[in-house]
Structure formats: C-alpha cells, structure tokens
Amino acid sequence: MTTPQGYHVLSVDHSRASEVLHVDAFAFAFTVPEKDAGFIHDILPWDRTRAIEVVDPLRGRVGTLAAVHASFEFKTCVPGGREVPTAGLSWVGVHPGHRRRGLLRAMIHDHFSRSLARGEVISTLFAAETQIYQRFGYGLAATEARVQLGRGADIRPLEGSDDLAVEIDSASIERHGDAIRSIQSRMTRPGTVTALAPQTLADVLMDLEIDREGGEELRIAVVRDGSDPVAWALFQRKGDWGDSGPDGKVRVRAWGALDAAATVRLWGVLVDFDLMATTYAGKFALDDPLLLRLKDIRSAKVSIADNLWVRILDVAEALQARGYAADCDVTIHLEDAFLPLNAGVWRVHVVHGEARVTRDDGADPASADLRIDIQELGAAYLGGTTITELLRAGLVDERTPGAAGELSRAMASDIKPVANFGF
C-alpha cells in the first residue's frame, strides 16, 4: 500500500524521542513532565520504531511527525508449551490534526510487512479501542478477570506454600530483572511473553510519578523456593483513612507465578498489607488457581475484560508452530482482506499434536469444509475461544457437518490463555 499523499513513512531513532512522545501525548491525551520525559529513551525499541512524516506543506509543517508506532520483540507461549516469534504492537498514535487521512492503515501495513520480513508469525496487542484493530484482522484471543479483594481474603491453604520465602522491595531492573526474566521464561500459559527484550522489561518496570495517582513508588514482591524465583508482582499502595479507620488501596500492576503454591504464597501477601483495605488486580486467566482457591468467591468483585488480541501474519508457520489436542484433517476457506496472500483454501492436517498446513491454490473455495475470517482464526489461535463457539455465534460457516467440531477439538487448550502484563 502507498502512503497517503503528502506523507512518507520512515524509521526514527532516539534523537526524535521527544517528537514521538509529542504525537502520542496528543493521541492519548496525557502530559509527561519534562523531568520525566527521558523514560521513552529506555522503553522504546528504536530499531523497531516507525513514524509518518509530513512532506507537503498543505498537510502541515514539513518535517513534523503525524503518526507513530513501535513493536516489541518477544516470544509468545502457545498451546503445547511452545513459543512463536511475535511482534507486540504498541505506541500506535495519530496526531489529532492528521486523523481521517489513512495514516493508521498505512502504519498497520508497514508493521505487518516489517514483522513478516523479520520472521514474526503473529502480532499481538492490548487494544486502546477494540473496534479499531478488528478492521485489520486482530481477534480477541484471551480475556482476563479483574478482581477486587478485601483485606485478608481467605485463600484455601496449599501444602508447601508457607515454606516459600517472599522478598518485598522497591522495584529495580538491576535487582529484580533477572528474576522476572527467569519466571517468565518458564511459564507455559498460552499468551505469556516468555522472552523479554531489554526494552520490554524496562516498559514493564516503568514507574512515572504521574502514573502513581498519589501512591507510593513501584514496589515488587518476589517469591522464592530456596534461591529459585517462582512468582513476582509489581504493586503500589496508597494510604487512606475512612470514618472507621485505615482504608488504603493496593493496585497490582502485573504479576506472574509458576504454579499454584507460588500463587497462594504471593497473593497471601498482596491481600494482607497493614493499613490496606482493598487489593485491585487484573491479568487473571479465567482458570487461575487463585480464583479457584478463594473460600468465598462472592466476596471478590470480579469483572471480565478483553486481554490479548492476536493477528496471524503467516498462516502456515503460525498454525504449524503451536501444538494440538486432537487429530484433525480439515480444509478452511480463509478470508483475509488486509493480507490477501493469506486468503485461499488451506488444509490443516494434524497427527499426534503436529500440524501440516498447506495451501491448495487450485481448490474451489466453496468446496472447503469451513469458511472463516482471519480475525476469527486469530481469536481461536491460543485455544481459549473455540471454533465451535465462533460457529454458534455465526462467525464461522460450516459446510461439511462436523468439521467445526473436529478443528475445534484440535485447537482447544486445557489451559486458558492470558497475557500477564501489558505492553
């Protein structure tokens, strides 16, 4: 796709950091004090940061940036305990003075082509506005539970959890980065970022004063089994006093745990700080051990929200990279208006958990067992949303009876997907 007239796409480096921040500040309606503005140098991957620049005075001041985006490099865990190379799309913003000119569409095309050239088979994101990215083929692949817990929420005990040690400190890349990396690299839940580039880790641990909302600096809890880190959480507390005494709030920003024992130990600490009355957290998978071990689930205020959106970029490589729960042999008529090279008839043949995915360029699309759009295939990719659920919603067209169930059983995951931190 060509860039809209009057603009051109280019790579930007840290020398233009203030301009990138300027565009996103206008796009997302925030202001960073000048003393804190240097954070952007550390968290953006400058070899993966792109912008659209004005080249025609009729479009604005020549040389200024009209739109920006970046992508984080990491690997995402997929069903079967495997990993796929991923482009995590972020910092997407169009200056309000340049909206409705096709700049976002041009950036998404640029992002897809560069990601494919690097061998990244999927792109993921957390959506600021969900309807925007569905236009480009992103499907809702993971939902999360957001939970409000009262002080001392009663969690069913688990043998061995009390033997785990807990370190609580001010969060620091130097002191705690290796522990976070170690835990993330061993997590097997689909949707998990398992290999963090330096900029991704810096983004996770970013602690701007304007984001504290009057609370303390960013703190960290690390649970260890001996010397081995097995869980982590980033949190901030904010003291308050109500009519009946302390009424402080704990906000857990991100967290991860390797097993149920580590989860129980971690949350036993996070819901029982002195002077704190309530703990707020998200990024819970719908089958998370904590939700299952609460003695009184009614005492928790739980809401469900979208979590990770997935866009399949390379159909064959992405589908062959993940594991499968059952054998199947199904043909799908795949529609992809934004990446036409993906469109066509594909055979998904799975034996003993391994898929062979091939295109049949000579096949009549009407002869395929299923018709599905790339958005729905992305929604099913991590195994949380099933093909049969999409069929019942009228989002998959079954032409051969039983084909949807066959593919659904193969792609389903026993472990619900979630991404345990945003980017």
Side-chain angles (χ1 to χ4, degrees), residues 137-181:
Y138 284 87
L140 178 55
T143 53
E144 66 174 70
R146 296 177 180 176
V147 181
Q148 175 184 324
L149 296 166
R151 170 79 185 271
D154 209 352
I155 303 169
R156 293 165 63 184
L158 180 60
E159 184 177 356
S161 63
D162 286 343
D163 298 330
L164 303 176
V166 179
E167 169 197 355
I168 296 177
D169 197 358
S170 296
S172 162
I173 288 181
E174 291 73 24
R175 293 193 302 275
H176 308 114
D178 287 345
I180 294 174
R181 286 180 187 274

Side-chain angles (χ1 to χ4, degrees), residues 361-385:
D361 289 325
D364 178 2
S367 69
D369 298 321
L370 301 170
R371 182 185 60 80
I372 187 169
D373 187 81
I374 194 69
Q375 178 181 343
E376 275 60 65
L377 192 61
Y381 183 67
L382 296 180
T385 301

Side-chain angles (χ1 to χ4, degrees), residues 87 112 115-116 120-123 311-315 339 342:
F112 287 175
S115 299
L116 283 165
E120 293 155 349
V121 300
I122 64 171
S123 174
R311 210 303 178 180
I312 294 176
L313 301 177
D314 185 322
V315 173
L339 283 178
N342 285 333

Side-chain angles (χ1 to χ4, degrees), residues 320-340:
Q320 290 175 164
R322 53 158 289 169
Y324 291 82
D327 292 351
C328 79
D329 192 357
V330 173
T331 55
I332 59 175
H333 171 206
L334 184 63
E335 297 181 336
D336 191 340
F338 206 75
L339 283 178

